[in-house]
Amino acid sequence: MTVARLLKIALVATTGLFFLIVTFNNAIDDYPSNRMFVERVLSIDSLQFEGTAERVDWRAITSPTLHAISYAFIIAWEGATAILCFIGVYFLVKNLKADEETFHKAKPWSVAGLGLGMMLWFFGFITMGGEWFFMWASTWNGQDAAWRMFGIQGISLIFLMQKE
C-alpha cells in the first residue's frame, strides 16, 4: 500500500461525494433555484450584450417540459457519476494491497466516473450551455465553475491513470 494509492482512492471518493451532494441539492434540497438556472440558460433570455439575443433566439428552448427533461437528464448524469465513482472506490480499496498491475486493472469504474463527470462539465456546461446557449454572455454564467470542475476531475484522472 502506498500513499499514492490512498490519494487516488481519496480523489475518486471526493468526486463521488461531490456528485452525490450535487445530485441531492439539484433533485431534492434546492430543486427550484437550480432548475431556474437551467431554464434561464436554455431560454437565452438573460444575455448582457445588446442585440445578441435577437440573433440567437432561434436556439432558445422555452418549453417548460423540455426544461424539466433537460434538468432531469442533468440530475441523472450527476447521480450516475456519483455511483460510478463509488463503485470505483470499492474496487480500488478491494485491491489496495494488490500488486501494481492488479491495482491498475481495478481502475475502470473510477475512470468511468471521473470521465462522465468531466463530460458533464465539458459537454453540458461549457459546450452546450456556454457556447450553444450563450451562457458566456448571460447573467446566469456557470462556465468558471464548469472549467474548475473539469480541471479538478481531469487532473484526478491523469493522476489515477499513472502507475506507481
PDB file of all heavy atoms in Angstrom, residues 135-160:
ATOM      1  N   MET A 135     -24.307  30.930 -22.669  1.00  0.00           N
ATOM      2  CA  MET A 135     -24.203  31.177 -21.238  1.00  0.00           C
ATOM      3  C   MET A 135     -23.071  32.156 -20.928  1.00  0.00           C
ATOM      4  O   MET A 135     -23.138  32.905 -19.966  1.00  0.00           O
ATOM      5  CB  MET A 135     -23.992  29.852 -20.486  1.00  0.00           C
ATOM      6  CG  MET A 135     -24.003  29.989 -18.982  1.00  0.00           C
ATOM      7  SD  MET A 135     -24.061  28.422 -18.081  1.00  0.00           S
ATOM      8  CE  MET A 135     -22.635  27.554 -18.678  1.00  0.00           C
ATOM      9  N   TRP A 136     -22.044  32.172 -21.755  1.00  0.00           N
ATOM     10  CA  TRP A 136     -20.922  33.086 -21.543  1.00  0.00           C
ATOM     11  C   TRP A 136     -21.374  34.547 -21.536  1.00  0.00           C
ATOM     12  O   TRP A 136     -20.752  35.396 -20.904  1.00  0.00           O
ATOM     13  CB  TRP A 136     -19.815  32.883 -22.588  1.00  0.00           C
ATOM     14  CG  TRP A 136     -20.226  33.239 -23.988  1.00  0.00           C
ATOM     15  CD1 TRP A 136     -20.764  32.408 -24.922  1.00  0.00           C
ATOM     16  CD2 TRP A 136     -20.152  34.526 -24.603  1.00  0.00           C
ATOM     17  NE1 TRP A 136     -21.041  33.088 -26.079  1.00  0.00           N
ATOM     18  CE2 TRP A 136     -20.668  34.408 -25.914  1.00  0.00           C
ATOM     19  CE3 TRP A 136     -19.701  35.779 -24.174  1.00  0.00           C
ATOM     20  CZ2 TRP A 136     -20.751  35.481 -26.783  1.00  0.00           C
ATOM     21  CZ3 TRP A 136     -19.782  36.842 -25.063  1.00  0.00           C
ATOM     22  CH2 TRP A 136     -20.298  36.684 -26.348  1.00  0.00           C
ATOM     23  N   ALA A 137     -22.469  34.851 -22.232  1.00  0.00           N
ATOM     24  CA  ALA A 137     -22.961  36.225 -22.326  1.00  0.00           C
ATOM     25  C   ALA A 137     -24.150  36.467 -21.398  1.00  0.00           C
ATOM     26  O   ALA A 137     -24.766  37.523 -21.446  1.00  0.00           O
ATOM     27  CB  ALA A 137     -23.367  36.527 -23.772  1.00  0.00           C
ATOM     28  N   SER A 138     -24.460  35.505 -20.568  1.00  0.00           N
ATOM     29  CA  SER A 138     -25.637  35.559 -19.712  1.00  0.00           C
ATOM     30  C   SER A 138     -25.274  35.962 -18.286  1.00  0.00           C
ATOM     31  O   SER A 138     -24.158  35.730 -17.819  1.00  0.00           O
ATOM     32  CB  SER A 138     -26.312  34.179 -19.692  1.00  0.00           C
ATOM     33  OG  SER A 138     -27.337  34.135 -18.734  1.00  0.00           O
ATOM     34  N   THR A 139     -26.245  36.527 -17.596  1.00  0.00           N
ATOM     35  CA  THR A 139     -26.056  36.788 -16.171  1.00  0.00           C
ATOM     36  C   THR A 139     -26.046  35.467 -15.398  1.00  0.00           C
ATOM     37  O   THR A 139     -25.611  35.421 -14.264  1.00  0.00           O
ATOM     38  CB  THR A 139     -27.165  37.702 -15.626  1.00  0.00           C
ATOM     39  OG1 THR A 139     -28.440  37.118 -15.926  1.00  0.00           O
ATOM     40  CG2 THR A 139     -27.090  39.089 -16.245  1.00  0.00           C
ATOM     41  N   TRP A 140     -26.507  34.386 -16.031  1.00  0.00           N
ATOM     42  CA  TRP A 140     -26.517  33.045 -15.436  1.00  0.00           C
ATOM     43  C   TRP A 140     -25.339  32.246 -15.990  1.00  0.00           C
ATOM     44  O   TRP A 140     -25.502  31.187 -16.557  1.00  0.00           O
ATOM     45  CB  TRP A 140     -27.834  32.333 -15.761  1.00  0.00           C
ATOM     46  CG  TRP A 140     -29.009  32.977 -15.117  1.00  0.00           C
ATOM     47  CD1 TRP A 140     -29.719  34.037 -15.599  1.00  0.00           C
ATOM     48  CD2 TRP A 140     -29.618  32.638 -13.877  1.00  0.00           C
ATOM     49  NE1 TRP A 140     -30.724  34.371 -14.743  1.00  0.00           N
ATOM     50  CE2 TRP A 140     -30.693  33.516 -13.673  1.00  0.00           C
ATOM     51  CE3 TRP A 140     -29.357  31.658 -12.923  1.00  0.00           C
ATOM     52  CZ2 TRP A 140     -31.497  33.458 -12.544  1.00  0.00           C
ATOM     53  CZ3 TRP A 140     -30.164  31.596 -11.812  1.00  0.00           C
ATOM     54  CH2 TRP A 140     -31.215  32.489 -11.626  1.00  0.00           C
ATOM     55  N   ASN A 141     -24.141  32.749 -15.817  1.00  0.00           N
ATOM     56  CA  ASN A 141     -22.955  32.132 -16.391  1.00  0.00           C
ATOM     57  C   ASN A 141     -22.286  31.212 -15.372  1.00  0.00           C
ATOM     58  O   ASN A 141     -21.757  31.675 -14.366  1.00  0.00           O
ATOM     59  CB  ASN A 141     -21.971  33.205 -16.863  1.00  0.00           C
ATOM     60  CG  ASN A 141     -20.794  32.635 -17.611  1.00  0.00           C
ATOM     61  OD1 ASN A 141     -20.632  31.427 -17.730  1.00  0.00           O
ATOM     62  ND2 ASN A 141     -19.957  33.514 -18.123  1.00  0.00           N
ATOM     63  N   GLY A 142     -22.279  29.924 -15.657  1.00  0.00           N
ATOM     64  CA  GLY A 142     -21.640  28.956 -14.777  1.00  0.00           C
ATOM     65  C   GLY A 142     -20.367  28.376 -15.354  1.00  0.00           C
ATOM     66  O   GLY A 142     -19.900  27.331 -14.906  1.00  0.00           O
ATOM     67  N   GLN A 143     -19.811  29.038 -16.365  1.00  0.00           N
ATOM     68  CA  GLN A 143     -18.644  28.469 -17.034  1.00  0.00           C
ATOM     69  C   GLN A 143     -17.396  28.425 -16.159  1.00  0.00           C
ATOM     70  O   GLN A 143     -16.621  27.482 -16.264  1.00  0.00           O
ATOM     71  CB  GLN A 143     -18.348  29.223 -18.322  1.00  0.00           C
ATOM     72  CG  GLN A 143     -19.328  28.886 -19.418  1.00  0.00           C
ATOM     73  CD  GLN A 143     -18.848  29.414 -20.737  1.00  0.00           C
ATOM     74  OE1 GLN A 143     -18.765  30.606 -20.941  1.00  0.00           O
ATOM     75  NE2 GLN A 143     -18.520  28.507 -21.629  1.00  0.00           N
ATOM     76  N   ASP A 144     -17.185  29.417 -15.307  1.00  0.00           N
ATOM     77  CA  ASP A 144     -15.995  29.372 -14.448  1.00  0.00           C
ATOM     78  C   ASP A 144     -16.025  28.142 -13.549  1.00  0.00           C
ATOM     79  O   ASP A 144     -15.021  27.440 -13.410  1.00  0.00           O
ATOM     80  CB  ASP A 144     -15.878  30.641 -13.605  1.00  0.00           C
ATOM     81  CG  ASP A 144     -15.403  31.843 -14.402  1.00  0.00           C
ATOM     82  OD1 ASP A 144     -14.870  31.643 -15.515  1.00  0.00           O
ATOM     83  OD2 ASP A 144     -15.566  32.974 -13.921  1.00  0.00           O
ATOM     84  N   ALA A 145     -17.173  27.881 -12.948  1.00  0.00           N
ATOM     85  CA  ALA A 145     -17.305  26.687 -12.099  1.00  0.00           C
ATOM     86  C   ALA A 145     -17.137  25.421 -12.934  1.00  0.00           C
ATOM     87  O   ALA A 145     -16.501  24.455 -12.492  1.00  0.00           O
ATOM     88  CB  ALA A 145     -18.657  26.691 -11.398  1.00  0.00           C
ATOM     89  N   ALA A 146     -17.683  25.421 -14.143  1.00  0.00           N
ATOM     90  CA  ALA A 146     -17.571  24.241 -15.006  1.00  0.00           C
ATOM     91  C   ALA A 146     -16.112  23.976 -15.366  1.00  0.00           C
ATOM     92  O   ALA A 146     -15.654  22.827 -15.311  1.00  0.00           O
ATOM     93  CB  ALA A 146     -18.416  24.423 -16.267  1.00  0.00           C
ATOM     94  N   TRP A 147     -15.375  25.010 -15.735  1.00  0.00           N
ATOM     95  CA  TRP A 147     -13.958  24.830 -16.060  1.00  0.00           C
ATOM     96  C   TRP A 147     -13.178  24.341 -14.849  1.00  0.00           C
ATOM     97  O   TRP A 147     -12.302  23.480 -14.964  1.00  0.00           O
ATOM     98  CB  TRP A 147     -13.338  26.132 -16.578  1.00  0.00           C
ATOM     99  CG  TRP A 147     -13.561  26.344 -18.033  1.00  0.00           C
ATOM    100  CD1 TRP A 147     -14.323  27.303 -18.615  1.00  0.00           C
ATOM    101  CD2 TRP A 147     -13.026  25.553 -19.112  1.00  0.00           C
ATOM    102  NE1 TRP A 147     -14.299  27.153 -19.987  1.00  0.00           N
ATOM    103  CE2 TRP A 147     -13.509  26.098 -20.318  1.00  0.00           C
ATOM    104  CE3 TRP A 147     -12.185  24.441 -19.170  1.00  0.00           C
ATOM    105  CZ2 TRP A 147     -13.187  25.565 -21.560  1.00  0.00           C
ATOM    106  CZ3 TRP A 147     -11.862  23.923 -20.413  1.00  0.00           C
ATOM    107  CH2 TRP A 147     -12.363  24.487 -21.584  1.00  0.00           C
ATOM    108  N   ARG A 148     -13.499  24.891 -13.684  1.00  0.00           N
ATOM    109  CA  ARG A 148     -12.817  24.476 -12.455  1.00  0.00           C
ATOM    110  C   ARG A 148     -13.061  22.995 -12.183  1.00  0.00           C
ATOM    111  O   ARG A 148     -12.121  22.243 -11.911  1.00  0.00           O
ATOM    112  CB  ARG A 148     -13.319  25.343 -11.295  1.00  0.00           C
ATOM    113  CG  ARG A 148     -12.611  25.161 -10.007  1.00  0.00           C
ATOM    114  CD  ARG A 148     -13.000  26.198  -8.951  1.00  0.00           C
ATOM    115  NE  ARG A 148     -14.428  26.336  -8.750  1.00  0.00           N
ATOM    116  CZ  ARG A 148     -15.159  27.395  -9.109  1.00  0.00           C
ATOM    117  NH1 ARG A 148     -14.586  28.437  -9.703  1.00  0.00           N
ATOM    118  NH2 ARG A 148     -16.449  27.444  -8.870  1.00  0.00           N
ATOM    119  N   MET A 149     -14.311  22.566 -12.283  1.00  0.00           N
ATOM    120  CA  MET A 149     -14.633  21.164 -12.015  1.00  0.00           C
ATOM    121  C   MET A 149     -14.053  20.236 -13.085  1.00  0.00           C
ATOM    122  O   MET A 149     -13.572  19.148 -12.775  1.00  0.00           O
ATOM    123  CB  MET A 149     -16.143  20.972 -11.892  1.00  0.00           C
ATOM    124  CG  MET A 149     -16.743  21.696 -10.695  1.00  0.00           C
ATOM    125  SD  MET A 149     -15.840  21.447  -9.147  1.00  0.00           S
ATOM    126  CE  MET A 149     -15.837  19.678  -9.012  1.00  0.00           C
ATOM    127  N   PHE A 150     -14.095  20.666 -14.341  1.00  0.00           N
ATOM    128  CA  PHE A 150     -13.488  19.884 -15.416  1.00  0.00           C
ATOM    129  C   PHE A 150     -11.999  19.691 -15.136  1.00  0.00           C
ATOM    130  O   PHE A 150     -11.466  18.593 -15.279  1.00  0.00           O
ATOM    131  CB  PHE A 150     -13.712  20.585 -16.764  1.00  0.00           C
ATOM    132  CG  PHE A 150     -13.092  19.867 -17.920  1.00  0.00           C
ATOM    133  CD1 PHE A 150     -13.704  18.761 -18.479  1.00  0.00           C
ATOM    134  CD2 PHE A 150     -11.893  20.303 -18.462  1.00  0.00           C
ATOM    135  CE1 PHE A 150     -13.128  18.087 -19.558  1.00  0.00           C
ATOM    136  CE2 PHE A 150     -11.314  19.648 -19.538  1.00  0.00           C
ATOM    137  CZ  PHE A 150     -11.939  18.538 -20.089  1.00  0.00           C
ATOM    138  N   GLY A 151     -11.335  20.752 -14.704  1.00  0.00           N
ATOM    139  CA  GLY A 151      -9.902  20.687 -14.416  1.00  0.00           C
ATOM    140  C   GLY A 151      -9.579  19.790 -13.229  1.00  0.00           C
ATOM    141  O   GLY A 151      -8.647  18.986 -13.288  1.00  0.00           O
ATOM    142  N   ILE A 152     -10.333  19.920 -12.151  1.00  0.00           N
ATOM    143  CA  ILE A 152     -10.103  19.088 -10.968  1.00  0.00           C
ATOM    144  C   ILE A 152     -10.248  17.617 -11.328  1.00  0.00           C
ATOM    145  O   ILE A 152      -9.413  16.784 -10.968  1.00  0.00           O
ATOM    146  CB  ILE A 152     -11.076  19.475  -9.838  1.00  0.00           C
ATOM    147  CG1 ILE A 152     -10.719  20.849  -9.263  1.00  0.00           C
ATOM    148  CG2 ILE A 152     -11.095  18.410  -8.731  1.00  0.00           C
ATOM    149  CD1 ILE A 152     -11.781  21.438  -8.356  1.00  0.00           C
ATOM    150  N   GLN A 153     -11.316  17.293 -12.040  1.00  0.00           N
ATOM    151  CA  GLN A 153     -11.544  15.894 -12.394  1.00  0.00           C
ATOM    152  C   GLN A 153     -10.531  15.411 -13.424  1.00  0.00           C
ATOM    153  O   GLN A 153     -10.114  14.255 -13.384  1.00  0.00           O
ATOM    154  CB  GLN A 153     -12.979  15.705 -12.869  1.00  0.00           C
ATOM    155  CG  GLN A 153     -13.947  15.871 -11.711  1.00  0.00           C
ATOM    156  CD  GLN A 153     -15.358  16.153 -12.148  1.00  0.00           C
ATOM    157  OE1 GLN A 153     -15.770  15.761 -13.225  1.00  0.00           O
ATOM    158  NE2 GLN A 153     -16.099  16.837 -11.304  1.00  0.00           N
ATOM    159  N   GLY A 154     -10.125  16.278 -14.317  1.00  0.00           N
ATOM    160  CA  GLY A 154      -9.112  15.904 -15.307  1.00  0.00           C
ATOM    161  C   GLY A 154      -7.768  15.612 -14.658  1.00  0.00           C
ATOM    162  O   GLY A 154      -7.109  14.617 -14.983  1.00  0.00           O
ATOM    163  N   ILE A 155      -7.352  16.456 -13.730  1.00  0.00           N
ATOM    164  CA  ILE A 155      -6.097  16.223 -13.016  1.00  0.00           C
ATOM    165  C   ILE A 155      -6.199  14.934 -12.202  1.00  0.00           C
ATOM    166  O   ILE A 155      -5.262  14.132 -12.161  1.00  0.00           O
ATOM    167  CB  ILE A 155      -5.745  17.437 -12.130  1.00  0.00           C
ATOM    168  CG1 ILE A 155      -5.377  18.635 -13.023  1.00  0.00           C
ATOM    169  CG2 ILE A 155      -4.617  17.099 -11.160  1.00  0.00           C
ATOM    170  CD1 ILE A 155      -5.305  19.958 -12.295  1.00  0.00           C
ATOM    171  N   SER A 156      -7.357  14.730 -11.566  1.00  0.00           N
ATOM    172  CA  SER A 156      -7.564  13.493 -10.798  1.00  0.00           C
ATOM    173  C   SER A 156      -7.457  12.270 -11.696  1.00  0.00           C
ATOM    174  O   SER A 156      -6.853  11.263 -11.320  1.00  0.00           O
ATOM    175  CB  SER A 156      -8.933  13.517 -10.105  1.00  0.00           C
ATOM    176  OG  SER A 156      -9.011  14.567  -9.173  1.00  0.00           O
ATOM    177  N   LEU A 157      -8.042  12.363 -12.890  1.00  0.00           N
ATOM    178  CA  LEU A 157      -7.995  11.240 -13.826  1.00  0.00           C
ATOM    179  C   LEU A 157      -6.568  10.963 -14.296  1.00  0.00           C
ATOM    180  O   LEU A 157      -6.139   9.806 -14.350  1.00  0.00           O
ATOM    181  CB  LEU A 157      -8.909  11.506 -15.022  1.00  0.00           C
ATOM    182  CG  LEU A 157      -8.991  10.396 -16.066  1.00  0.00           C
ATOM    183  CD1 LEU A 157      -9.487   9.089 -15.463  1.00  0.00           C
ATOM    184  CD2 LEU A 157      -9.904  10.832 -17.213  1.00  0.00           C
ATOM    185  N   ILE A 158      -5.824  12.008 -14.604  1.00  0.00           N
ATOM    186  CA  ILE A 158      -4.426  11.830 -15.022  1.00  0.00           C
ATOM    187  C   ILE A 158      -3.633  11.164 -13.913  1.00  0.00           C
ATOM    188  O   ILE A 158      -2.880  10.219 -14.143  1.00  0.00           O
ATOM    189  CB  ILE A 158      -3.799  13.174 -15.430  1.00  0.00           C
ATOM    190  CG1 ILE A 158      -4.423  13.686 -16.740  1.00  0.00           C
ATOM    191  CG2 ILE A 158      -2.278  13.051 -15.565  1.00  0.00           C
ATOM    192  CD1 ILE A 158      -4.097  15.127 -17.063  1.00  0.00           C
ATOM    193  N   PHE A 159      -3.815  11.628 -12.687  1.00  0.00           N
ATOM    194  CA  PHE A 159      -3.100  11.049 -11.555  1.00  0.00           C
ATOM    195  C   PHE A 159      -3.522   9.596 -11.330  1.00  0.00           C
ATOM    196  O   PHE A 159      -2.679   8.725 -11.107  1.00  0.00           O
ATOM    197  CB  PHE A 159      -3.335  11.891 -10.302  1.00  0.00           C
ATOM    198  CG  PHE A 159      -2.630  11.359  -9.085  1.00  0.00           C
ATOM    199  CD1 PHE A 159      -1.258  11.252  -9.044  1.00  0.00           C
ATOM    200  CD2 PHE A 159      -3.363  10.991  -7.968  1.00  0.00           C
ATOM    201  CE1 PHE A 159      -0.610  10.756  -7.925  1.00  0.00           C
ATOM    202  CE2 PHE A 159      -2.725  10.498  -6.841  1.00  0.00           C
ATOM    203  CZ  PHE A 159      -1.341  10.383  -6.817  1.00  0.00           C
ATOM    204  N   LEU A 160      -4.815   9.345 -11.400  1.00  0.00           N
ATOM    205  CA  LEU A 160      -5.326   7.981 -11.218  1.00  0.00           C
ATOM    206  C   LEU A 160      -4.695   7.013 -12.213  1.00  0.00           C
ATOM    207  O   LEU A 160      -4.335   5.894 -11.869  1.00  0.00           O
ATOM    208  CB  LEU A 160      -6.852   7.962 -11.370  1.00  0.00           C
ATOM    209  CG  LEU A 160      -7.519   6.578 -11.356  1.00  0.00           C
ATOM    210  CD1 LEU A 160      -7.424   5.945  -9.973  1.00  0.00           C
ATOM    211  CD2 LEU A 160      -8.945   6.673 -11.837  1.00  0.00           C
TER     212      LEU A 160
END
